[in-house]
């Protein structure tokens, strides 16, 4: 039976992050994993619409599931320090992609 135990390799040494009760000697296979990315902070609750603005009357805006997902992604990106591109730059990138694909319809 194979058992996987997470550990850390540093300067020629391997430290296991879990105990191996009842194991005095065992053959091992070491697989190197990439460093995990820093965990993203959980998205903050938000009552804003897809643009990040409150409704004109200050009331909460009902979002679709897609809208909530997109807003959560935006909030996580901002929390990680990602700079958001201006709308014009995004539209130009889409235009270029569509022109390369032979579909040059106006996006405005």
């Amino acid at each position: 039976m194979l058992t996987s135990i997470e550990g850390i390799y540093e300067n020629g040494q391997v430290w296991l992050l879990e105990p191996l009760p009842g194991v005095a000697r065992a053959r091992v296979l070491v697989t190197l994993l990439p460093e995990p990315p820093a965990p993203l902070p959980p998205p903050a609750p938000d009552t804003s619409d897809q643009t990040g603005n409150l409704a004109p009357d200050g009331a909460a805006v009902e979002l679709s599931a897609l809208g909530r997902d997109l807003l959560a992604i935006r909030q996580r990106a901002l929390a990680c320090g990602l700079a958001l591109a201006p709308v014009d730059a995004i539209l130009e990138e889409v235009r270029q992609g569509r022109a390369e694909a032979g579909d040059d319809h106006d996006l405005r």
Side-chain angles (χ1 to χ4, degrees), residues 6-101:
E6 191 172 353
I8 297 174
Y9 173 83
E10 184 177 20
N11 297 325
Q13 299 289 322
V14 176
W15 289 276
L16 300 179
L17 298 178
E18 301 174 39
L20 293 172
V23 178
R25 177 182 162 94
R27 291 183 57 209
V28 297
L29 175 63
V30 176
T31 303
L32 300 180
L33 303 173
E35 276 293 316
L40 294 175
D46 196 340
T47 59
S48 59
D49 64 12
Q50 290 90 336
T51 63
N53 298 318
L54 291 174
D57 61 1
V61 175
E62 184 67 29
L63 294 176
S64 66
L66 176 60
R68 287 190 300 274
D69 290 346
L70 292 172
L71 185 58
I73 291 168
R74 180 182 189 273
Q75 290 170 335
R76 289 170 52 195
L78 289 172
C80 291
L82 182 69
L84 300 180
V87 172
D88 291 338
I90 294 169
L91 290 175
E92 182 57 32
E93 187 175 328
V94 172
R95 277 189 202 97
Q96 289 175 359
R98 287 188 174 185
E100 290 171 7

